[in-house]
Amino acid sequence: MDTIDQKLLALLRKDGRASLSALATALNVSRGTVQNRIERLTRAGVISGFTVRVSEADDPHAVRAVTMIEITGQKTLAVIKALRGIPEVHALHTTNGAWDLVADLRADNLVTFERVLRGIRAMDGVSKSETSLLLTTL
């Protein structure tokens, strides 16, 4: 990846629906160059897809949390696979320190959130977890 690719990715992170023409103007390259670069980055797996980010203010009942997870024994891959199958697990990260994984959880309501959290805590290989609800994004 070169500087143009990096700038293109930054622009797409800011507005994934930006037109090719607008991206080309911002990058000072041709529309075709932008299209070719997006196709190349997608084929290479750098761009894995495009999505919509909904304003948190539009769903005041949504529950967001970060759950730190400790895994026992050789269960890491099995736990990761199980967590990836839960729609409310928005993102999953490995980490260092006391915790093995950090899960970004997003649920429509507290009932769903509690069900998901109970399921995570009951997973074979999960020995301990700690969850913090996210209150306000600044």
Side-chain angles (χ1 to χ4, degrees):
M1 284 197 339
D2 62 11
T3 305
I4 293 174
D5 287 338
Q6 292 171 350
K7 288 178 182 178
L8 174 59
L9 291 174
L11 290 168
L12 288 171
R13 280 187 192 103
K14 199 179 287 184
D15 181 4
R17 292 188 49 161
S19 70
L20 294 176
S21 297
L23 292 168
T25 299
L27 294 169
N28 199 28
V29 297
S30 72
R31 184 184 177 284
T33 297
V34 170
Q35 185 170 4
N36 289 337
R37 285 176 179 261
I38 289 173
E39 289 172 1
R40 180 178 47 78
L41 291 168
T42 302
R43 274 192 317 273
V46 175
I47 296 175
S48 60
F50 296 86
T51 187
V52 173
R53 288 182 296 174
V54 178
S55 167
E56 292 175 23
D58 291 335
D59 191 359
H61 302 292
V63 179
R64 294 189 57 214
V66 175
T67 298
M68 284 70 70
I69 302 166
E70 182 181 87
I71 301 171
T72 58
Q74 303 296 317
K75 304 281 185 169
T76 302
L77 294 178
V79 170
I80 289 171
K81 183 177 179 181
L83 289 169
R84 284 186 175 157
I86 300 172
E88 291 80 10
V89 176
H90 180 74
L92 191 58
H93 311 275
T94 56
T95 186
N96 66 333
W99 304 102
D100 298 305
L101 297 173
V102 175
D104 177 357
L105 304 179
R106 299 180 187 188
D108 293 334
N109 53 57
L110 280 172
V111 172
T112 302
F113 173 76
E114 184 178 8
R115 176 187 52 77
V116 169
L117 190 57
R118 250 189 274 128
I120 291 171
R121 290 177 173 165
M123 279 182 189
D124 183 35
V126 173
S127 59
K128 186 166 69 169
S129 70
E130 181 178 317
T131 300
S132 295
L133 290 174
L134 302 177
L135 302 176
T136 301
T137 299
L138 305 174

